[in-house]
Amino acid sequence: MRIAIIGSGYVGLVSGACLAGFGHTVICTDKDADRIARLNAGEMPIYEPGLDEIVAENVGQRRLSFSTDVAGAVRDSEVVFICVGTPARRGDGFADLSHVHECAGEVAGHLNGYKVIVTKSTVPVGTGDAVERIVREAAPGKEFAVVSNPEFLREGAAIEDFRRPDRIVIGTDDARAKEVMELVYRPLYLNRAPFLFTDRRSAEIIKYASNAFLATKITFINEMADLCEAVGANVQDVARGMGLDNRIGGKFLHAGPGYGGSCFPKDTVALIRTGEEHGAPLRIVETVAAVNDRRKRTMARKIANACGGSVRDWTIAILGLTFKPKTDDMREAPSIPIVQGLRDLGANIRAYDPQGARIVRSELPGVELTADPYDCIAGADALVIVTEWDMFRALDLGRVKSLLAKPNFIDLRNIYDPDDVAAAGLSYTSIGR
Ligand SMILES: NC(=O)c1ccc[n+]([C@@H]2O[C@H](COP(=O)([O-])OP(=O)(O)OC[C@H]3O[C@@H](n4cnc5c(N)ncnc54)[C@H](O)[C@@H]3O)[C@@H](O)[C@H]2O)c1
């Protein structure tokens, strides 16, 4: 099939490259000319493990190309995937659909034959109807279908997730569009990946409900961690004890500094607004969002308490800034309020992140960045692990002890055994243990 992708970010680029890998001819477009120029020069605009290889391979096979010419790509394609951002709208937190609506208008202007318009961006229920209306009004009489096909990939494991998804959700009542979507995902269909065909509105809700549920699970165990700290229990054992129950499952039961990222924070708030708008308040999700926000803001205080109460004029070494490992994404990362909070308490921040550095400069101006974790630690008054990159799991604790000016080790991801850290002569604080 000939496929156009509008929006070549984490979702669009991974989807485009993987769909090309399925054998389709894919044009990835973006209105950001710099992004397209870099892609055409063989350079990845984002960090996602394995993406560069799959892009290079499919460009080499002439199945994948990049362009700023959205109109041309639409004309040349049978299927158009909308993969643009849907950030939180300033003021009320509802999903900002301006980019999605802009795409609908753009596609409408170039409908030269039946096309399936697929919303892969995370969009509130009813957006598919709005896209259909926009296209129909701008291109009356033209043949098309609007399908919801939400994306569930995780940054850091995006290619594996796209190729071996837990499920593929396709929301449409249009039989012809359903057939087209089956062809798009044919290799996954043959591999017996679970497909769920449903109506468009249900598909739109599935995405938000899934993210809200996962955010709830994280927030639940975070509150349990606070209780464990208060009563002298171990949240990791509690999580394991809970997770061994198949009805609960062990995933997303890792206590930490609160969830961040480009999806959970904005999607929970957008879902809350949708509930309000339709007179169906979502009290659980409201509480989750509020508890998580508060948690991220109180982490700086927790760190200061672990350091004896005051960090004024201290140098604090932070390892890991991205919202999770194996990505360069800093959106809503817990590190941002942590750094700000520690600065408000009078501390100077030095940080190391394997990938975040490029973006950190704009998100966290003034933070001193080092090229190596040990350079970051040298002479600091405390070490804080904020993001659990693999390389931080096996630090040489003896070296850490000798490099730190004061032996404070704060591990917000529980990646160390407290006994090991204590044996190295460090004072160790983790979450819920
Ligand atoms: N990042 C994730 O892990 C993830 C996972 C699942 C779903 N999603 C959802 O997918 C959508 C995209 O997320 P992302 O992280 O890939 O965003 P992103 O910000 O990385 O990429 C979006 C891209 O769209 C481009 N764009 C915006 N308007 C455009 C237009 N009119 N024409 C052409 N290009 C345009 C931007 O320049 C940008 O490059 C969002 O709705 C998000 O919620 C994201």
Side-chain angles (χ1 to χ4, degrees), residues 298-426:
T298 55
M299 278 300 129
R301 178 39 55 204
K302 181 183 168 80
I303 293 164
N305 289 345
C307 295
S310 171
V311 289
R312 183 153 300 281
D313 298 326
W314 281 31
T315 295
I316 300 201
I318 290 192
L319 294 187
L321 293 163
T322 51
F323 89 92
K324 67 170 173 180
K326 296 189 188 162
T327 182
D328 58 358
D329 201 338
M330 284 289 296
R331 289 177 279 187
E332 303 283 333
S335 63
I336 298 171
I338 289 173
V339 167
Q340 279 161 356
L342 287 171
R343 281 177 158 173
D344 291 346
L345 294 171
N348 303 312
I349 308 299
R350 197 192 292 151
Y352 171 77
D353 186 280
Q355 277 297 331
R358 275 185 296 159
I359 297 137
V360 170
R361 290 204 170 80
S362 55
E363 293 277 355
L364 293 169
V367 168
E368 181 192 345
L369 292 168
T370 64
D372 172 273
Y374 294 102
D375 290 347
C376 181
I377 297 166
D381 300 297
L383 161 63
V384 185
I385 294 183
V386 176
T387 310
E388 69 282 28
W389 285 85
D390 277 345
M391 68 184 307
F392 304 149
R393 289 177 186 273
L395 293 172
D396 175 344
L397 293 176
R399 192 170 166 203
V400 169
K401 168 74 171 60
S402 66
L403 285 172
L404 279 172
K406 298 190 183 81
N408 297 300
F409 189 122
I410 296 113
D411 173 7
L412 300 183
R413 299 290 181 174
N414 290 350
I415 57 176
Y416 277 89
D417 181 333
D419 293 339
D420 292 347
V421 187
L426 291 156

Side-chain angles (χ1 to χ4, degrees), residues 26-343:
V26 181
I27 310 175
C28 281
T29 70
D30 205 290
K31 65 177 180 184
D32 179 344
D34 180 52
R35 177 165 286 234
I36 295 299
R38 287 174 68 184
L39 283 163
N40 277 323
E43 202 186 307
M44 290 305 106
I46 55 168
Y47 172 71
E48 179 60 44
L51 183 62
D52 44 358
E53 285 127 69
I54 169 168
V55 165
E57 185 189 327
N58 285 286
V59 167
Q61 302 278 346
R62 301 191 173 280
R63 286 192 297 255
L64 180 62
S65 59
F66 306 102
S67 174
T68 52
D69 178 14
V70 177
V74 169
R75 280 195 301 271
D76 284 347
S77 300
E78 298 144 280
V79 186
V80 181
F81 278 90
I82 298 176
C83 302
V84 296
T86 47
R89 194 161 65 190
R90 252 176 218 285
D92 63 3
F94 196 79
D96 177 354
L97 295 172
S98 55
H99 300 302
V100 173
H101 291 165
E102 197 183 321
C103 291
E106 184 106 45
V107 175
H110 304 280
L111 280 183
N112 53 347
Y114 179 76
K115 287 186 204 293
V116 178
I117 304 163
V118 186
T119 0
K120 203 170 236 330
S121 298
T122 301
V123 292
V125 60
T127 304
D129 301 359
V131 169
E132 185 170 320
R133 212 163 36 240
I134 291 168
V135 178
R136 197 170 301 292
E137 278 168 16
K142 292 282 172 66
E143 280 194 305
F144 68 95
V146 177
V147 173
S148 167
N149 170 219
E151 182 51 59
F152 299 96
L153 62 78
R154 295 163 300 166
E155 286 175 23
I159 290 166
E160 177 69 10
D161 284 350
F162 195 94
R163 287 174 166 170
R164 264 174 282 277
D166 287 342
R167 77 293 211 193
I168 298 119
V169 173
I170 294 174
T172 178
D173 293 327
D174 184 310
R176 190 169 168 194
K178 182 173 174 257
E179 272 175 35
V180 170
M181 293 306 288
E182 280 170 356
L183 283 176
V184 166
Y185 286 112
R186 197 172 147 76
L188 299 181
Y189 211 70
L190 297 176
N191 278 344
R192 297 180 184 277
F195 276 75
L196 174 68
F197 291 98
T198 179
D199 62 276
R200 201 163 57 199
R201 288 184 164 238
S202 302
E204 289 167 338
I205 291 184
I206 286 169
K207 173 65 192 177
Y208 280 98
S210 302
N211 275 0
F213 193 86
L214 293 172
T216 303
K217 220 174 158 187
I218 295 173
T219 307
F220 183 89
I221 202 65
N222 283 341
E223 283 201 323
M224 285 303 135
D226 292 346
L227 177 62
C228 287
E229 275 175 29
V231 302
N234 181 331
V235 75
Q236 271 181 317
D237 290 345
V238 171
R240 182 157 160 76
M242 289 170 63
L244 286 169
D245 183 329
N246 285 332
R247 295 168 302 176
I248 298 174
K251 290 186 180 160
F252 276 71
L253 281 184
H254 301 287
Y259 62 75
S262 64
C263 293
F264 288 0
K266 78 170 173 65
D267 291 349
T268 44
V269 174
L271 183 61
I272 293 164
R273 296 289 166 266
T274 301
E276 283 168 359
E277 194 173 82
H278 294 275
L282 301 166
R283 298 288 183 234
I284 294 173
V285 190
E286 284 171 17
T287 305
V288 165
V291 168
N292 189 67
D293 269 356
R294 198 176 325 119
R295 184 173 189 84
K296 287 202 281 189
R297 279 186 276 113
T298 55
M299 278 300 129
R301 178 39 55 204
K302 181 183 168 80
I303 293 164
N305 289 345
C307 295
S310 171
V311 289
R312 183 153 300 281
D313 298 326
W314 281 31
T315 295
I316 300 201
I318 290 192
L319 294 187
L321 293 163
T322 51
F323 89 92
K324 67 170 173 180
K326 296 189 188 162
T327 182
D328 58 358
D329 201 338
M330 284 289 296
R331 289 177 279 187
E332 303 283 333
S335 63
I336 298 171
I338 289 173
V339 167
Q340 279 161 356
L342 287 171
R343 281 177 158 173

